[in-house]
């Protein structure tokens, strides 16, 4: 049969293997680099026969996402083999490729140590050096079961039972066999650049009632150079970890006594948060939102009516008041709808945009809690826009505009995704289509490119997710816009139309920063703790050379504070070099040194993030700092006018 292979026409023998066919079209060098192949969108092992009806076969290399994922997943098999060789008692479970590498979960009697990781990695290098082929067999369930039973691998048998299929594919390399759909690299020698990175605990199937497994993470890249770049980025990420910087910079902490997932905001962190929240309130008012506030608890019936009880119960907390059941709000929508319903609304009143810095509680499993990024109590910059169907597109555009200005303010790049109907959903298919189209049309009208995320919408409607990219190129979910026809229906929201009849409005749920806690954590890592001047809890620190300069430093402190600068003074009897180092560790943007010359000139010597700016009068120094605060706002046509004195 004739087929196109990597852009060339090739005559292939019937039942030929993909690898043989590829080798006819590729140079020797290119063929050696091919990890798998693609036919009609499906990825295949090179050892598989060319599927019937395949007219086009493409090689897959490690420089594309699919190839990298085949490489990393194969590395997980090689790691499992190494672990079994070194620790025969360990049981294997699952080992997928993930965004930056791969992992494999093992049931083992104790956590693996760094020494274990080094030994496993060395064993993997032996397996790679042996260049063993990956081979695939498809066996009936009974035979596959017997193989894993003889190996003592109970988890594999459980997985087979769950899949409920009649036959299973097994992959082997170098005597090690795993249950897997594939595909894999042709042989272990194709794994050229890998590294095991860390170990963590993980519950079997992510359920804390199950046994705790040992998860070993690793990463693999096409070339040693790519691997080195990635490892350097990991090192940098470790330095910026907000869980380390938060307590170090005295911004926030967690405590066993407060319980998991509960944040303690220290004065400096709470101040940054206050500035962020004040900015948000002001900016929402400027954009036609109204600030509202609802209760933390609502009767259980309300959550039943909204569908949260049926679809979201496991993430909610419940309590009782006067023998009535109440739910603690996991979302802010319901109270906003009650405010809307408190009076008759006309078509002329719409759109109505209710904004709340809404504190919510969600029961996250303890295993997924992660610093500020995943907590159990958090505050969203939440708004609900209730509008006429004909206003929907314009409202969505308004929100996307808002998000764009905020991303510019912080200097984030971002990507947009539309998430469509999930398996568990409420409402009619017609409404889902209408809502999904409204979101897509708005983005098309704005000319914003977007990806589709099938099945990832909220249970009550499709959504636009906006993911920002931080300084290390990592993506973080922040803003979402959800389109909802169902809740207005369930809660009987109406407006009186031009025709005097009652009509159903549409509701948009949206957040811009998302959870303030999470956004704060992202900011700490993005700026490596060095907040831009407008957000820095302490914007400037006055450092005296000797005690003789303390009197003037006191005057300078008061003067700058009166001008609206958040400033502290270090009047301790310490060497200037020591004071400077300490202030820089605190990531304070402006250091103002006071010595003989400065006292005489009634000024300060200014250093901005390590850069000398020379002797300035107090007026000049204050003006510099305040202008620096304005800078990021100019990008979004906004302005800065906050004044908080610093905590001392
Ligand atoms: Zn596999
Ligand atoms: Zn909502």
């Amino acid at each position: 049969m004739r087929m196109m292979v990597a852009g060339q026409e090739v005559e292939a023998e019937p039942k030929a293997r993909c690898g043989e066919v590829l080798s006819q079209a590729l140079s020797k060098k290119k063929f050696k680099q091919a990890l798998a192949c693609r036919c009609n969108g499906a990825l295949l092992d090179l050892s598989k026969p060319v599927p019937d009806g395949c007219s086009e076969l493409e090689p897959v290399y490690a420089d594309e996402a699919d190839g990298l994922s085949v490489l990393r997943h194969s590395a997980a098999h090689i790691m499992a083999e190494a672990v079994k060789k070194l620790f025969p008692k360990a049981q294997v479970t699952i080992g997928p490729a993930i965004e930056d590498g791969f992992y494999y979960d093992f049931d083992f009697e104790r956590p693996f140590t760094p020494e274990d990781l080094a030994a496993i990695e060395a064993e993997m290098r032996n397996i790679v050096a042996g260049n063993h082929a990956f081979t695939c067999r498809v066996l009936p369930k009974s035979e596959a079961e017997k193989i894993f039973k003889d190996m003592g691998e109970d988890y594999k048998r459980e997985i087979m039972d769950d899949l409920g299929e009649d036959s299973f594919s097994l992959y082997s390399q170098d005597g090690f066999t795993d249950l897997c759909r594939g595909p894999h690299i042709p042989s272990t020698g194709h794994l050229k650049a890998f590294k095991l990175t860390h170990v963590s605990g993980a519950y079997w199937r992510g359920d804390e009632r199950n046994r705790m497994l040992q998860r070993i993470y690793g990463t693999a890249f096409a070339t040693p150079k790519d691997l080195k770049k990635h490892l350097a980025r990991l090192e940098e990420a470790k330095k910026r970890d907000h869980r380390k910087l938060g307590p170090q910079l005295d911004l926030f902490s967690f405590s066993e006594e407060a319980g998991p997932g509960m944040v303690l905001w220290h004065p400096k962190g709470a101040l940054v948060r206050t500035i962020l929240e004040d900015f948000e309130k002001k900016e929402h008012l400027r954009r036609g939102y109204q600030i509202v506030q609802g209760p933390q608890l609502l009767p259980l019936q309300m959550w039943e009516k909204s569908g949260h009880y049926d679809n979201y119960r496991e993430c909610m907390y419940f309590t009782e008041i006067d023998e009535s059941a109440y739910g603690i709000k996991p979302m802010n929508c319901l109270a906003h709808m009650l405010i809307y319903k408190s009076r008759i609304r006309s078509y002329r009143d719409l759109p109505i945009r209710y904004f709340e810095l809404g504190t919510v509680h969600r029961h996250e499993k303890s295993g997924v809690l992660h610093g500020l990024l995943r907590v159990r109590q958090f505050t969203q910059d939440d708004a609900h826009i209730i509008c006429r169907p004909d206003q929907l597109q314009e409202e969505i555009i308004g929100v996307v505009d808002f998000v764009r200005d905020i991303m510019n303010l912080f200097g984030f790049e971002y990507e947009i995704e539309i998430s469509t109907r999930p398996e568990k959903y409420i409402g009619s298919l017609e409404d889902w289509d209408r809502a999904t189209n409204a979101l897509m049309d708005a983005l098309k009208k704005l000319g914003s490119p977007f990806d589709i995320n099938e099945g990832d919408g909220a249970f009550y409607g499709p959504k636009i997710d906006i993911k920002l990219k931080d300084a290390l190129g990592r993506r973080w979910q922040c803003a979402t816009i959800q389109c909802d026809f169902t809740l207005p229906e369930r809660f009987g929201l109406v407006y009186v139309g031009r025709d005097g009849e009652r009509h159903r409005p549409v509701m948009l749920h949206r957040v811009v920063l998302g959870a303030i806690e999470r956004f704060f954590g992202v900011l700490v890592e993005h700026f490596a703790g060095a907040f831009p001047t407008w957000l820095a809890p302490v914007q400037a620190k006055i450092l005296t050379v000797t005690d003789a300069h303390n009197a003037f430093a006191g005057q300078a402190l008061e003067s700058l504070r009166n001008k609206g600068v958040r400033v502290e003074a270090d009047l301790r009897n310490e060497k200037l070099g020591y004071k400077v180092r300490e202030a820089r560790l605190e990531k304070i943007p402006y250091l103002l040194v006071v010595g003989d010359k400065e006292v005489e000139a009634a000024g300060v010597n200014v250093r901005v993030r390590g850069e000398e700016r020379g002797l300035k009068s107090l007026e000049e120094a204050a003006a510099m700092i305040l202008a620096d605060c304005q800078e990021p706002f100019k990008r979004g046509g906004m302005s800065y006018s906050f004044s908080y004195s610093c905590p001392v």
Side-chain angles (χ1 to χ4, degrees), residues 7-51:
Q8 286 182 46
E9 218 177 44
V10 165
E11 180 66 41
E13 298 286 325
K15 301 261 179 262
R17 290 173 192 276
C18 296
E20 291 162 29
V21 177
L22 272 191
S23 70
Q24 292 179 50
L26 300 178
S27 71
K28 246 189 172 154
K29 190 175 161 207
K30 285 308 261 182
F31 177 65
K32 268 174 104 173
Q33 291 169 351
L35 299 182
C37 59
R38 192 185 288 113
C39 176
N40 297 336
L43 284 179
L44 293 167
D45 296 299
L46 295 188
S47 61
K48 289 267 163 74
V50 177

Side-chain angles (χ1 to χ4, degrees), residues 73-74 77 95 171 178-184:
H73 170 66
S74 304
H77 279 248
Y171 278 83
D178 206 342
L179 177 74
C180 190
R181 288 209 167 89
H184 298 99

Side-chain angles (χ1 to χ4, degrees), residues 55-351:
S55 56
E56 213 180 332
L57 200 65
E58 285 296 325
V60 172
Y61 301 110
D63 62 0
E64 61 163 298
D66 279 346
L68 207 48
S69 154
V70 168
L71 182 73
R72 288 168 173 172
H73 170 66
S74 304
H77 279 248
I78 295 170
M79 177 167 80
E81 179 190 344
V83 169
K84 291 292 291 187
K85 274 190 176 162
L86 296 172
F87 308 97
K89 276 195 199 153
Q91 288 210 40
V92 294
T93 67
I94 55 159
I98 51 175
E99 183 168 354
D100 279 324
F102 60 89
Y103 69 76
Y104 209 114
D105 285 349
F106 301 94
D107 186 350
F108 193 50
E109 60 203 13
R110 60 169 175 83
F112 292 104
T113 63
E115 291 73 33
D116 294 337
L117 281 203
I120 296 166
E121 205 178 283
E123 188 55 43
M124 287 173 73
R125 293 197 195 284
N126 286 336
I127 300 167
V128 168
N131 197 21
H132 309 285
F134 274 86
T135 57
C136 177
R137 298 172 272 176
V138 178
L139 298 176
K141 188 178 180 198
S142 58
E143 278 181 51
E145 257 181 346
K146 182 162 184 323
I147 288 175
F148 289 112
K149 191 171 175 214
D150 292 347
M151 287 165 67
E153 301 290 5
D154 304 333
Y155 290 89
K156 292 291 166 185
R157 288 158 64 207
E158 193 180 325
I159 293 169
M160 281 193 279
D161 283 343
D162 280 4
L163 289 171
E165 288 159 17
D166 302 330
S167 65
F168 290 91
S169 68
L170 274 59
Y171 278 83
S172 304
Q173 89 273 1
D174 187 25
F176 172 79
T177 296
D178 206 342
L179 177 74
C180 190
R181 288 209 167 89
H184 298 99
I185 53 179
S187 62
T188 58
H190 284 77
L191 181 60
K192 305 240 184 274
F194 68 96
K195 174 101 194 129
L196 301 187
T197 51
H198 60 291
V199 186
S200 77
Y203 293 105
W204 169 233
R205 298 190 187 286
D207 186 335
E208 57 197 324
R209 287 164 300 189
N210 288 340
R211 214 172 136 71
M212 171 74 92
L213 306 172
Q214 303 303 326
R215 175 171 295 177
I216 303 181
Y217 286 94
T219 190
F221 282 85
T223 64
K225 200 175 140 199
D226 289 352
L227 175 65
K228 213 172 140 192
K229 249 177 34 201
H230 175 74
L231 294 176
R233 217 167 41 222
L234 281 187
E235 232 5 79
E236 182 59 31
K238 227 186 250 173
K239 276 190 231 154
R240 291 167 179 244
D241 192 330
H242 73 280
R243 293 170 299 176
K244 203 177 100 196
L245 284 177
Q248 194 179 308
L249 297 173
D250 202 12
L251 298 168
F252 64 86
S253 64
F254 291 89
S255 126
E256 264 178 43
E257 286 164 289
M262 297 295 176
V263 189
L264 301 168
W265 289 91
H266 297 203
K268 283 180 182 166
L271 180 62
V272 177
R273 190 184 158 146
T274 304
I275 294 165
L276 263 180
E277 291 182 347
D278 269 20
F279 161 66
E280 285 236 83
K281 284 182 186 163
K282 184 167 156 266
E283 198 54 32
H284 276 83
L285 290 172
R286 191 170 81 87
R287 291 176 192 253
Y289 288 78
Q290 296 166 285
I291 297 174
V292 296
Q293 204 165 12
Q296 279 296 326
L297 304 171
L298 285 169
L300 186 64
Q301 300 87 286
M302 287 284 286
W303 300 111
E304 285 171 343
K305 196 168 166 184
S306 67
H308 284 90
Y309 191 74
D310 282 343
N311 293 282
Y312 204 70
R313 183 176 40 210
E314 61 274 22
C315 296
M316 287 181 65
Y317 300 107
F318 297 95
T319 188
E320 223 174 70
I321 302 174
D322 294 340
E323 285 161 41
S324 298
Y326 278 75
I328 301 176
K329 68 173 175 175
M331 292 171 191
N332 305 300
C333 337
L334 303 199
H336 294 192
M337 285 191 288
L338 296 184
I339 297 167
Y340 179 89
K341 274 176 66 168
S342 64
R343 52 165 58 203
I344 294 170
R345 309 288 176 179
S346 131
Y347 69 95
R348 275 182 255 105
D349 299 331
L350 302 183

